[in-house]
Amino acid sequence: MADLDDIKDGKDWVQDRPADTSKFFLKGGAHQDWGMKARLSRIFNPASGKTVMLAFDHGYFQGPTTGLERMDLTIAPIAAHADVLMCTRGALRATIAPDVNKPVVLRCSGGNSILRELSNELVAVDIDDAIRLGAVAMAAQVYIGAEYEHKSIGNVVKLIDQGTRYGIPTMAVTGVGKDMVRDARYFGLATRIAAEIGAQFVKSYYVDSGFERIVLGCPVPIVIAGGKKLPEAEALDMAWKAIDQGAAGVDMGRNVFQSSNPTAMLQALGAVVHRGERADRAYEMFLDLESAKAA
């Protein structure tokens, strides 16, 4: 029986042979059914194979955090500039006009605030409401090495089973226990578990050492989380490194809506993610757009 000593780094990553995407443009998606592929094709741009998601689901456990005090004033005006919106059903209905017509990855977990153990969540959205809202995917957290790891995995399994029944993908949002090192070893474990239980794509964090191995070891697409607010140049550099090392996109929140110019930041991220623009050039683009707005 496997035990903790068996959590070892893999050795043979075959980095010169990318995953076969000849039958469908997304890694791991070739054998999904038509509806699942159609929804994945709204999340990920078929031309680039990538996505820029705008995350503003933070309030479901943090409350009215910086930049999200008034979502009608900060998020609604920039929603049209993202490829995909990542949010709760309450924020969607209260804040985003239906004619914005952006695909929605729906946050479907909840049950605790930031004051409690966040791995102890529940599935907070019924599949009927996800369908009613026209969600293109559902999302919940997988916490590896946390107190309620088993429950968090069970939540995602429930979404995967329900979503597969109706052709709706599930994005597993990976996290690690508060006492664990946030490194390639554990995010590699978390992303692989998420894919093995059936998630169609995974959200994880970029790490400076070994991120390419995380991507290679995960048989479905990975989008990176933005994490804490960084200076715009650093956030764009992180996005470029992640894309260069195989990520299929970014799902950024604070690094967009807390930016001095959120619209310019989304456009700069789009240049990095979809056109392969280097971080320094994308930052110059951001500064030019910010200057034009100021003028």
Side-chain angles (χ1 to χ4, degrees), residues 60 88-89 106-112 118-131 137-143 148-163 165 169-172 197:
Y60 94 92
T88 64
R89 60 180 171 179
L106 193 65
R107 164 65 72 173
C108 292
S109 57
N112 269 330
L118 287 174
S119 64
N120 190 19
E121 292 190 319
L122 49 81
V123 173
V125 178
D126 189 86
I127 185 68
D128 289 350
D129 210 25
I131 294 169
M138 301 180 291
Q141 210 87 13
V142 169
Y143 283 100
Y148 295 95
E149 173 186 287
H150 179 269
K151 186 176 182 182
S152 73
I153 292 174
N155 290 339
V156 174
V157 168
K158 181 178 180 180
L159 290 183
I160 291 166
D161 286 343
Q162 291 181 336
R165 192 175 304 137
T170 295
M171 179 177 79
I197 62 176

Side-chain angles (χ1 to χ4, degrees), residues 23 28 53 57 67 87 93 98 116 130 141 146 160 168-169 187 211 220 258 261 276:
K23 296 180 181 178
M53 298 171 59
D57 58 331
C87 60
R93 284 188 166 113
R116 301 295 181 186
Q141 210 87 13
I160 291 166
I168 301 176
F187 281 118
F211 182 75
V220 298
Q258 290 181 6
N261 191 327

Side-chain angles (χ1 to χ4, degrees), residues 225-232 235 238 252-259 262 265 269:
K228 66 181 181 179
K229 175 67 173 75
L230 300 170
E232 283 80 1
M238 178 175 68
M252 288 195 173
R254 286 167 287 185
N255 280 300
V256 174
F257 61 72
Q258 290 181 6
S259 171
M265 189 61 180
L269 283 167

Side-chain angles (χ1 to χ4, degrees), residues 29 35 44-45 67 77 91 98 106 134 146-147 167 173 197 214 242 246 254 268 284 289:
F44 296 92
N45 185 324
L106 193 65
E147 182 178 357
V173 183
I197 62 176
I214 295 175
R254 286 167 287 185
E284 289 176 10
L289 291 167

Side-chain angles (χ1 to χ4, degrees), residues 194-216:
E196 294 267 359
I197 62 176
Q200 283 78 23
F201 63 116
V202 179
K203 177 177 174 179
S204 190
Y205 285 92
Y206 177 78
V207 295
D208 287 323
S209 177
F211 182 75
E212 187 175 20
R213 296 198 304 273
I214 295 175
V215 174
L216 288 167

